[in-house]
Amino acid sequence: MSILHLIDTNQWFSSFSVEKSEQAIHALEQGHILYLPTLPFQLFPEENEFLSPSFAEPKAKNISFNRHTQILRCAKCPAEKYDRLKEMMQRFSIQAEQLVQSLLPAYTAEIQLGRTSFRPIEIAGRLSSYRKDDTRLHVDAFPATPNQGRRILRVFSNINPHGKTRHWRVGEPFSEVVKRFLPQVSKQWRGSAALLKWLKLTKSTRTTYDHIMLQIHDRMKADLNYQKTVAQQSIHFASGASWIVQTDHVSHAAMSGQHVLEQTFYLPVAAMANPALSPLMVLEELTGRSLT
Ligand SMILES: O=C(O)CCC(=O)C(=O)O
Ligand SMILES: [Fe+2]
């Protein structure tokens, strides 16, 4: 069965039937990817110049924007272009939010807006440490930004102007990932969470949940045999298409592609239709204790 759940729309804010929304939430929570092949993010002609790796630092994988603070992190942006790039990312962020509001209305009361990112650098051939190497299958967990059990929901849009797809690999279901890697997770040192916070290495407390998810993330990426042999499928997201995925439980790897926009949201587990499917509750069930 395909892991893609098709959503037929060409509007960022459209009216979906209750049934369509329920099906979408069900699919998402089961670990499917909501695929919107006819929902492009439209650039204004004068924005095409941003489709160039020259704005991003070679080592950074993205340009990031925080809509709350209005801060755009773009080291190589010429001053006169800063505001226009910000406007483009803000427009994407608002449209991604409208999509979530219209397609997943049951989430809207609780969902929290995270960072917006723009990724103008070709993935294939990019050099990075294994932990940062997103061409290796992984579930998302962020070292500096503990999410303390909240779900990570991401909206992507492939804005490649040359018709180039974004190629992902998608691996085994989270329940299988956990069976394999939870036994390898080392214990969190007592006091380490407080120390990380005190050193400002984390923005909030790294809970046991965050510790386990980071370890799973790292161990998946470190295991080259696993990367090669685990059951997996290849997916090519067309340019002009958008997709929504909960990247904290869908094992994914981005193999090639250039120019994508991405909006991150955080969702409290209690806001899910079926909280038992969250990584937090799956891990709490297996470890028999509270992890946050
Ligand atoms: O840039 C991409 O296509 C996906 C990279 C990734 O692993 C992520 O955003 O979680
Ligand atoms: Fe990821």
Side-chain angles (χ1 to χ4, degrees), residues 61-62 117 119 121 123 126 132-136 138-142 152 154 156 166-168 217 221 237 243 245 247-248 250 252-257 260-262 264:
K61 74 171 180 185
N62 60 41
S117 72
R119 304 174 180 173
I121 297 177
I123 300 168
R126 200 178 58 197
K132 289 194 176 153
D133 183 358
D134 285 340
T135 68
R136 302 183 187 206
H138 64 283
V139 289
D140 282 350
F142 309 132
I152 301 170
R154 296 186 135 173
F156 294 88
R166 200 159 188 94
H167 175 206
W168 277 24
H217 167 275
K221 282 187 172 176
F237 297 106
W243 61 103
V245 52
T247 50
D248 54 352
V250 174
H252 61 285
M255 306 312 293
S256 64
V260 84
L261 281 160
E262 173 271 330
T264 299

Coordinates of all heavy atoms in Angstrom, one line a residue, residues 61-62 117 119 121 123 126 132-136 138-142 152 154 156 166-168 217 221 237 243 245 247-248 250 252-257 260-262 264, ligand 1:
K61 N 22.0 24.1 6.3 CA 21.2 23.4 5.3 C 20.0 24.3 4.9 O 19.4 24.1 3.9 CB 20.8 22.0 5.7 CG 19.7 22.0 6.7 CD 19.2 20.5 6.9 CE 18.1 20.5 8.0 NZ 17.7 19.2 8.3
N62 N 19.8 25.3 5.7 CA 18.6 26.1 5.4 C 18.7 27.6 5.9 O 19.6 27.9 6.7 CB 17.3 25.5 5.9 CG 17.3 25.3 7.4 OD1 17.7 26.2 8.1 ND2 16.8 24.2 7.8
S117 N 11.4 27.2 7.1 CA 12.8 27.1 6.5 C 12.7 27.1 5.0 O 11.7 26.6 4.4 CB 13.6 25.9 7.1 OG 13.1 24.7 6.6
R119 N 15.2 25.9 1.8 CA 16.4 25.1 1.6 C 16.8 25.1 0.1 O 16.4 24.3 -0.7 CB 16.1 23.6 2.0 CG 15.6 23.6 3.4 CD 15.1 22.2 3.9 NE 14.7 22.3 5.3 CZ 14.1 21.3 5.9 NH1 13.9 20.2 5.4 NH2 13.8 21.5 7.2
I121 N 19.7 24.7 -1.2 CA 20.9 24.0 -1.6 C 20.6 22.5 -2.0 O 19.8 21.9 -1.4 CB 21.9 23.9 -0.4 CG1 22.3 25.4 0.0 CG2 23.1 23.1 -0.6 CD1 23.2 25.5 1.2
I123 N 20.6 18.8 -2.2 CA 20.9 17.8 -1.1 C 22.0 16.8 -1.5 O 22.9 16.6 -0.7 CB 19.6 17.0 -0.8 CG1 18.5 17.9 -0.3 CG2 19.9 15.9 0.3 CD1 17.1 17.1 -0.3
R126 N 25.9 17.0 -0.7 CA 26.2 17.9 0.4 C 26.9 17.2 1.5 O 26.5 16.1 1.9 CB 24.8 18.5 1.0 CG 25.0 19.8 1.7 CD 23.6 20.3 2.2 NE 22.9 19.3 3.0 CZ 21.6 19.3 3.2 NH1 20.9 20.2 2.7 NH2 21.0 18.4 4.0
K132 N 24.0 15.0 11.2 CA 23.2 16.0 10.4 C 22.9 15.6 9.0 O 22.3 16.3 8.2 CB 24.1 17.3 10.3 CG 24.2 18.0 11.7 CD 24.7 19.4 11.5 CE 24.7 20.1 12.8 NZ 25.8 21.2 12.9
D133 N 23.3 14.3 8.7 CA 23.1 13.8 7.3 C 21.7 13.3 7.1 O 21.3 12.2 7.5 CB 24.1 12.7 7.1 CG 24.1 12.2 5.6 OD1 23.2 12.7 4.9 OD2 24.9 11.3 5.3
D134 N 20.9 14.2 6.5 CA 19.5 13.8 6.3 C 19.3 12.9 5.1 O 18.1 12.5 4.7 CB 18.6 15.0 6.1 CG 18.4 15.8 7.5 OD1 18.6 15.1 8.5 OD2 18.0 17.0 7.4
T135 N 20.4 12.4 4.4 CA 20.2 11.4 3.4 C 20.2 10.0 4.1 O 20.1 9.0 3.4 CB 21.3 11.4 2.3 OG1 22.5 11.0 2.9 CG2 21.4 12.8 1.7
R136 N 20.3 10.0 5.4 CA 20.2 8.7 6.1 C 18.8 8.7 6.8 O 18.3 9.7 7.3 CB 21.3 8.6 7.2 CG 22.7 8.7 6.6 CD 23.7 8.5 7.6 NE 25.0 8.8 7.1 CZ 26.1 8.2 7.6 NH1 26.1 7.4 8.6 NH2 27.3 8.5 7.0
H138 N 15.9 8.5 9.2 CA 15.8 8.9 10.6 C 14.4 9.4 11.0 O 13.6 9.6 10.1 CB 16.8 10.1 10.8 CG 16.4 11.4 10.1 ND1 16.6 11.5 8.7 CD2 15.7 12.5 10.4 CE1 16.1 12.7 8.3 NE2 15.6 13.3 9.3
V139 N 14.1 9.5 12.3 CA 13.0 10.2 12.7 C 13.5 11.5 13.3 O 14.6 11.5 13.9 CB 12.1 9.4 13.7 CG1 11.4 8.2 13.1 CG2 13.0 8.9 14.9
D140 N 12.7 12.6 13.2 CA 13.2 13.8 13.7 C 13.3 14.0 15.2 O 12.3 13.6 15.9 CB 12.4 15.0 13.1 CG 12.7 15.3 11.7 OD1 13.7 14.8 11.1 OD2 11.9 16.1 11.0
A141 N 14.4 14.6 15.7 CA 14.5 14.9 17.1 C 15.6 16.0 17.1 O 16.6 15.9 16.4 CB 15.0 13.7 17.9
F142 N 15.3 17.1 17.8 CA 16.2 18.3 17.7 C 17.0 18.4 18.9 O 16.5 18.6 20.0 CB 15.4 19.5 17.4 CG 14.4 19.4 16.3 CD1 13.1 19.8 16.4 CD2 14.8 18.9 15.0 CE1 12.2 19.7 15.3 CE2 13.9 18.7 14.0 CZ 12.6 19.1 14.1
I152 N 5.8 16.5 15.9 CA 6.4 17.4 14.9 C 5.7 17.2 13.6 O 5.6 16.1 13.1 CB 7.9 17.1 14.7 CG1 8.7 17.2 16.0 CG2 8.5 18.0 13.6 CD1 10.1 16.7 15.9
R154 N 5.2 18.7 9.8 CA 5.8 19.6 8.8 C 5.1 19.7 7.5 O 4.6 18.7 7.0 CB 7.3 19.1 8.6 CG 8.1 19.2 9.9 CD 9.6 18.9 9.6 NE 10.4 19.9 10.3 CZ 11.7 19.8 10.4 NH1 12.4 18.8 9.9 NH2 12.4 20.7 11.1
F156 N 5.7 20.8 3.6 CA 6.8 21.0 2.6 C 6.1 21.4 1.3 O 5.0 21.0 1.0 CB 7.6 19.7 2.4 CG 8.4 19.2 3.5 CD1 7.8 18.3 4.4 CD2 9.7 19.6 3.7 CE1 8.6 17.8 5.5 CE2 10.4 19.1 4.7 CZ 9.9 18.2 5.6
R166 N 11.8 16.2 -5.5 CA 12.5 16.0 -4.2 C 12.4 14.5 -3.9 O 11.3 14.0 -3.7 CB 11.9 16.8 -3.1 CG 12.9 17.0 -2.0 CD 12.6 18.2 -1.2 NE 13.6 18.6 -0.2 CZ 14.6 19.4 -0.4 NH1 14.8 20.0 -1.5 NH2 15.5 19.7 0.6
H167 N 13.5 13.9 -3.9 CA 13.5 12.4 -3.7 C 13.8 12.0 -2.2 O 14.8 12.4 -1.7 CB 14.6 11.8 -4.6 CG 14.8 10.3 -4.4 ND1 16.0 9.7 -4.7 CD2 13.9 9.4 -4.0 CE1 15.8 8.4 -4.4 NE2 14.6 8.2 -4.0
W168 N 12.8 11.3 -1.7 CA 12.9 10.8 -0.3 C 12.9 9.3 -0.3 O 12.4 8.7 -1.2 CB 11.6 11.2 0.5 CG 11.7 12.6 1.1 CD1 12.4 13.7 0.7 CD2 10.9 13.1 2.3 NE1 12.1 14.8 1.5 CE2 11.1 14.4 2.5 CE3 9.9 12.4 3.1 CZ2 10.5 15.2 3.5 CZ3 9.3 13.2 4.1 CH2 9.6 14.5 4.3
H217 N 17.3 8.6 16.8 CA 17.7 9.4 15.6 C 19.2 9.1 15.3 O 19.5 8.8 14.1 CB 17.5 10.9 15.9 CG 18.1 11.8 14.9 ND1 19.5 12.2 15.0 CD2 17.7 12.4 13.8 CE1 19.7 13.0 13.9 NE2 18.7 13.1 13.2
K221 N 20.9 6.7 12.1 CA 21.8 7.3 11.1 C 23.1 6.6 11.2 O 23.8 6.5 10.1 CB 21.9 8.8 11.4 CG 20.7 9.6 10.8 CD 21.0 11.1 10.9 CE 19.9 11.9 10.3 NZ 20.1 13.3 10.4
F237 N 8.7 13.6 -4.8 CA 7.7 14.7 -4.7 C 7.9 15.7 -5.8 O 9.0 16.3 -6.0 CB 7.8 15.4 -3.3 CG 7.6 14.5 -2.1 CD1 8.7 14.1 -1.4 CD2 6.3 14.1 -1.8 CE1 8.5 13.3 -0.2 CE2 6.1 13.3 -0.7 CZ 7.2 12.9 0.1
W243 N 3.4 18.6 0.6 CA 3.1 17.4 1.4 C 3.2 17.7 2.9 O 3.9 18.7 3.3 CB 3.9 16.2 1.0 CG 5.4 16.3 1.1 CD1 6.2 15.8 2.1 CD2 6.3 17.0 0.3 NE1 7.5 16.0 1.9 CE2 7.7 16.8 0.8 CE3 6.2 17.7 -0.9 CZ2 8.8 17.3 0.1 CZ3 7.3 18.3 -1.5 CH2 8.6 18.0 -1.0
V245 N 3.7 15.8 6.8 CA 4.1 14.6 7.4 C 4.5 14.8 8.8 O 5.0 15.9 9.2 CB 5.3 14.0 6.6 CG1 6.4 14.9 6.3 CG2 5.8 12.7 7.2
T247 N 7.1 14.1 11.1 CA 8.4 13.6 10.9 C 9.1 13.0 12.1 O 10.2 12.5 12.1 CB 9.4 14.7 10.4 OG1 9.2 15.8 11.2 CG2 9.1 15.0 8.9
D248 N 8.3 13.0 13.3 CA 8.9 12.4 14.5 C 8.6 10.9 14.5 O 9.1 10.2 15.3 CB 8.4 13.1 15.7 CG 6.8 13.2 15.8 OD1 6.2 12.9 14.8 OD2 6.3 13.6 16.8
V250 N 7.6 9.2 11.2 CA 7.8 8.6 9.8 C 9.4 8.6 9.6 O 10.0 9.7 9.5 CB 7.1 9.4 8.8 CG1 7.5 8.9 7.4 CG2 5.6 9.4 9.0
H252 N 12.4 8.8 7.5 CA 12.6 9.5 6.2 C 14.0 9.9 6.0 O 14.8 10.1 6.9 CB 11.7 10.7 6.1 CG 12.0 11.8 7.2 ND1 11.7 11.6 8.5 CD2 12.7 12.9 7.1 CE1 12.1 12.7 9.2 NE2 12.7 13.5 8.3
A253 N 14.3 10.0 4.7 CA 15.7 10.4 4.3 C 15.5 11.2 3.0 O 14.7 10.8 2.1 CB 16.6 9.3 4.0
A254 N 16.1 12.4 2.9 CA 16.0 13.2 1.7 C 17.2 13.0 0.9 O 18.3 13.4 1.3 CB 15.8 14.7 2.1
M255 N 17.1 12.4 -0.3 CA 18.2 12.0 -1.1 C 18.7 13.0 -2.1 O 19.9 13.2 -2.3 CB 17.8 10.7 -1.8 CG 17.3 9.6 -1.0 SD 18.4 9.3 0.5 CE 19.9 8.7 -0.3
S256 N 17.8 13.7 -2.7 CA 18.2 14.7 -3.7 C 17.0 15.7 -3.9 O 15.9 15.4 -3.5 CB 18.5 14.1 -5.0 OG 17.4 13.5 -5.6
G257 N 17.4 16.8 -4.5 CA 16.4 17.9 -4.7 C 16.9 19.2 -4.2 O 17.9 19.3 -3.4
V260 N 13.2 23.8 -1.5 CA 12.0 23.4 -0.8 C 11.7 24.5 0.3 O 12.6 25.1 0.9 CB 12.1 22.0 -0.3 CG1 12.7 21.9 1.1 CG2 10.7 21.3 -0.2
L261 N 10.4 24.7 0.5 CA 10.0 25.5 1.7 C 9.4 24.5 2.7 O 8.8 23.6 2.3 CB 9.0 26.6 1.3 CG 9.6 27.8 0.6 CD1 8.6 28.6 -0.1 CD2 10.3 28.7 1.7
E262 N 9.6 24.8 4.0 CA 9.1 23.9 5.0 C 8.7 24.7 6.2 O 9.3 25.6 6.6 CB 10.2 22.9 5.4 CG 9.9 22.0 6.5 CD 10.3 22.6 7.9 OE1 11.3 23.4 8.0 OE2 9.6 22.3 8.9
T264 N 7.4 24.1 10.2 CA 7.2 23.2 11.3 C 6.1 23.6 12.2 O 6.0 24.8 12.5 CB 8.6 23.1 12.1 OG1 9.6 22.6 11.2 CG2 8.5 22.1 13.3
Ligands
LIG1 O1 14.6 18.7 3.2 C1 13.9 17.7 3.1 O2 13.3 17.3 2.1 C2 13.7 16.8 4.4 C3 14.8 16.9 5.3 C4 14.4 16.3 6.7 O3 14.9 15.3 7.1 C5 13.5 17.0 7.5 O4 13.1 18.2 7.1 O5 13.1 16.5 8.5

